[in-house]
Amino acid sequence: MEHQPSEFFSRRQFLKDGVWTVSAALGGAASALLAARSRRQGWLWQIDPYKCIACGRCATHCVLTESAVKCVHAFALCGYCDLCTGYFGPEPKALDTGAEHQLCPTGAIRRRFIEEPYFEFTIDESRCIGCGKCVVGCSAFGNGSLFLQVRQDRCLNCNECSIARVCPSRAFVRVPADQPYLLKDAAS
Amino acid sequence: MRQLLKKMRFAKTNSGLLALLLALGAFGAGFIAYLILDRAFFVKKKVPAAYEYPIEQLAVIDPGLIVCRQVGSPIETGLQRASAVDVDAQGILYAAGDEKILVFSSSGRKEKEIILPAMPTALKTAEGLLYTALTERIELYSPQGEQLAVWANIPAALLTSIAVGREDVFAADALHKVVRRFDKQGNPLGLIGQKDAERGIEGFVVPSPYFDILIAPDGLLRVVNPGRQRVEAYTFDGHLEWHWGSPSMGIEGFCGCCNPVALAMLPDGTFVTAEKGLVRVKLYDDEGNLLGVVAGPRQLGWQAPIRVCEGPQDCQVRGLDVAADPQGRIYVLEQVRNTILVFEKIQ
């Protein structure tokens, strides 16, 4: 008796479907694996910028010699002011880059002319010690575009953060490792 | 054998001492390990003075400069986000915010609420009408709350102040950094304050949404130029006549990056200015000479340079608005607590 292939399910079709199914499953598994691996696990320390009062303790209480906390700048919030109160001390004699006029104790803020009368301010992280002096000046008088963040590439993620222990406004919080920063933005 | 027994007896009698020595040794080793492993132990505890910004020292004002006193208790508006205050010739007080205008009697009792379709960004009462700006447009209301007119939208504008003249209405647009001139029907007539080197106009600098204007009895428009820390006088045609004001943390100038944030005028022609940041309300003559302080940071409830906020909305920079009535009383809208404080000159 001659074997007749099924009208609906031939061996060729079965193999073809099987290859597709296995390929799709492998592809899905690989994607899931990649996604899972790219998602860092655990919790990290971070500063809630809306609770931080820039008391200066981030500079002195980190276990690292040079604090893991650095100033960051939300450009979308910045007024690009000539008289930037995060850059200049209380009574600058001139609005220039003279060290004697600057508020930052380490000269970590760079001032660059954009167009009259606007200037751009950027943070030199290699100089920033996270004291937050500029944050006080910017928040007290300006738009609050300068704020402090724990730089995760520097932070040792101590189980009990020594800065969090002394933070007077309880601004130190735990954040998921896949959302390591709490940034200010213009929309807020 | 005897010696061994002797040693065992010695050990037995001194087992307590040995245990104590062992415990002390363990404690010592643990303490040394703690010092080595807990690096926080070595952390410096005192914040050096170089890292601190003593703004509190700047908040102290010579009491001899204060020429006004607060009248009565602060008026609680009950608003979540109060934006503007104004007072009419009869002493009726208006406060805008939270998609409404609140009407208070001259004694500070809340009389009425006028519901608006959006958050008001400016308020001006003139000729028995209420002019309110809703970000991009101006709407007119009767004191009873009836909507009388809606002027056309100005795309991407942020109208933060309105001034009403005999035939003209002016609106300060903080986003475009110009003052817009309209006729009484809302037809645009021109712009004031655009950069113009030939006319000596440097342009307005408005880093934050505080940009106030008023029409003085001399027929000139006064416009706050907050980024340049000064008040500028313009004709209705846009000619810059003069300006006054200078930046300074000292009491004689305007502090910070962008002040003053609000302007009002007393019946005798004295200007009332309000500053955000280091909150101060002061009196100036028309040449920019300081005449006195209405209220300093302490009188306005200022406590610290940075507030701990509940969230982004709560943390937005909040300033002051000021208004003055025909009797010379000064109304200060304090936008953190959303209260109105009333001051009058000390006789």
Side-chain angles (χ1 to χ4, degrees):
Chain A
M1 187 179 166
E2 196 179 340
H3 177 71
Q4 293 292 322
S6 162
E7 188 182 342
F8 301 104
F9 208 71
S10 66
R11 178 177 293 182
R12 186 181 293 272
Q13 188 62 42
F14 173 76
L15 285 172
K16 197 176 173 184
D17 288 352
V19 166
W20 274 111
T21 308
V22 169
S23 303
L26 284 174
S31 305
L33 192 66
L34 277 173
R37 289 187 73 172
S38 67
R39 187 185 171 89
R40 293 170 65 196
Q41 296 299 309
W43 296 84
L44 303 170
W45 288 108
Q46 194 46 271
I47 299 171
D48 181 343
Y50 298 107
K51 291 203 162 34
C52 173
I53 58 166
C55 63
R57 291 178 191 177
C58 290
T60 53
H61 283 70
C62 183
V63 295
L64 296 170
T65 308
E66 183 191 323
S67 177
V69 174
K70 302 277 179 188
C71 179
V72 295
H73 195 189
F75 290 98
L77 285 174
C78 183
Y80 292 82
C81 303
D82 185 7
L83 174 50
C84 170
T85 49
Y87 182 82
F88 289 111
E91 292 288 354
K93 288 188 170 59
L95 300 185
D96 59 30
T97 54
E100 67 275 23
H101 306 139
Q102 294 182 32
L103 187 64
C104 180
T106 60
I109 306 179
R110 298 265 178 266
R111 172 181 154 99
R112 188 169 71 91
F113 176 74
I114 302 294
E115 66 171 37
E116 182 60 31
Y118 300 106
F119 289 80
E120 183 187 72
F121 298 90
T122 49
I123 309 297
D124 180 350
E125 282 200 6
S126 65
R127 289 186 169 201
C128 178
I129 54 169
C131 67
K133 200 171 178 180
C134 58
V135 177
V136 175
C138 179
S139 302
F141 300 105
N143 294 349
S145 59
L146 294 172
F147 58 100
L148 294 174
Q149 287 283 280
V150 175
R151 295 310 304 235
Q152 305 299 357
D153 55 336
R154 297 184 49 76
C155 179
L156 300 179
N157 200 24
C158 303
N159 200 30
E160 187 184 13
C161 171
S162 63
I163 310 174
R165 215 157 54 178
V166 295
C167 177
S169 60
R170 297 174 184 242
F172 268 75
V173 292
R174 284 296 219 178
V175 293
D178 57 345
Q179 291 167 358
Y181 293 98
L182 296 173
L183 302 176
K184 285 184 173 181
D185 59 51
S188 65
Chain B
M1 186 67 182
R2 194 180 291 163
Q3 277 185 340
L4 185 68
L5 285 169
K6 203 175 177 181
K7 276 182 184 170
M8 282 175 73
R9 206 177 298 131
F10 174 80
K12 211 172 182 178
T13 52
N14 291 286
S15 60
L17 184 67
L18 283 170
L20 183 67
L21 286 171
L22 278 172
L24 282 173
F27 179 77
F31 184 68
I32 290 164
Y34 173 79
L35 291 186
I36 292 168
L37 296 175
D38 184 11
R39 300 168 71 183
F41 183 83
F42 298 105
V43 167
K44 298 180 286 293
K45 298 293 180 195
K46 193 160 167 31
V47 177
Y51 300 174
E52 291 178 342
Y53 194 168
I55 291 180
E56 288 81 0
Q57 292 171 11
L58 302 168
V60 179
I61 288 179
D62 177 1
L65 291 172
I66 297 176
V67 295
C68 291
R69 65 181 176 92
Q70 192 176 332
V71 182
S73 303
I75 299 168
E76 304 285 343
T77 64
L79 296 166
Q80 296 296 310
R81 290 197 67 195
S83 55
V85 66
D86 201 18
V87 59
D88 69 12
Q90 286 72 46
I92 306 294
L93 191 62
Y94 302 88
D98 293 359
E99 301 187 1
K100 55 189 160 190
I101 296 171
L102 304 180
V103 184
F104 295 89
S105 68
S106 52
S107 62
R109 197 176 65 247
K110 189 172 142 188
E111 301 275 333
K112 196 185 295 177
E113 271 188 24
I114 300 170
I115 303 298
L116 302 173
M119 173 74 182
T121 50
L123 178 68
K124 182 69 189 170
T125 170
E127 300 159 353
L129 297 175
L130 290 169
Y131 291 76
T132 182
L134 307 178
T135 307
E136 294 184 336
R137 67 179 185 274
I138 292 172
E139 295 193 357
L140 271 65
Y141 288 84
S142 72
Q144 289 71 41
E146 186 190 354
Q147 190 186 63
L148 303 174
V150 179
W151 293 2
N153 268 6
I154 303 153
L158 175 54
L159 305 179
T160 54
S161 181
I162 299 171
V164 181
R166 209 162 39 203
E167 294 172 1
D168 306 87
V169 176
F170 297 88
D173 181 348
L175 223 56
H176 293 99
K177 301 175 181 63
V178 291
V179 176
R180 297 178 181 276
R181 183 183 179 189
F182 302 91
D183 65 17
K184 286 285 179 77
Q185 283 69 50
N187 301 308
L189 298 178
L191 301 174
I192 296 173
Q194 288 175 304
K195 273 186 187 177
D196 189 336
E198 283 184 13
R199 297 166 82 187
I201 299 173
E202 293 179 287
F204 300 120
V205 181
V206 190
S208 53
Y210 297 97
F211 187 30
D212 206 2
I213 54 173
L214 61 77
I215 296 172
D218 59 12
L220 295 177
L221 194 65
R222 298 299 195 282
V223 186
V224 164
N225 195 344
R228 299 187 194 276
Q229 290 88 10
R230 66 195 193 197
V231 175
E232 297 176 353
Y234 287 89
T235 65
F236 286 6
D237 295 324
H239 292 283
L240 175 63
E241 297 294 314
W242 74 90
H243 58 78
W244 55 268
S246 59
S248 174
M249 291 288 180
I251 195 68
E252 70 285 352
F254 297 124
C255 66
C257 64
C258 30
N259 268 316
V261 291
L263 191 65
M265 199 169 202
L266 294 176
D268 64 0
T270 301
F271 286 92
V272 185
T273 63
E275 291 164 72
K276 70 177 174 69
L278 198 61
V279 287
R280 309 188 289 205
V281 179
K282 298 181 290 187
L283 303 176
Y284 287 90
D285 68 15
D286 205 12
E287 292 174 346
N289 299 308
L290 179 72
L291 301 177
V293 176
V294 175
R298 300 291 177 214
Q299 290 77 35
L300 295 167
W302 185 93
Q303 288 175 332
I306 306 182
R307 287 190 306 123
V308 177
C309 305
E310 293 303 318
Q313 292 296 327
D314 183 41
C315 225
Q316 282 184 346
V317 178
R318 294 197 186 183
L320 305 167
D321 193 19
V322 285
D325 72 9
Q327 284 71 47
R329 278 190 293 263
I330 298 161
Y331 299 82
V332 180
L333 174 67
E334 198 272 313
Q335 294 176 335
V336 174
R337 291 171 190 77
N338 298 300
T339 56
I340 299 167
L341 298 102
V342 187
F343 295 89
E344 67 180 12
K345 275 189 179 173
I346 299 168
Q347 298 298 322

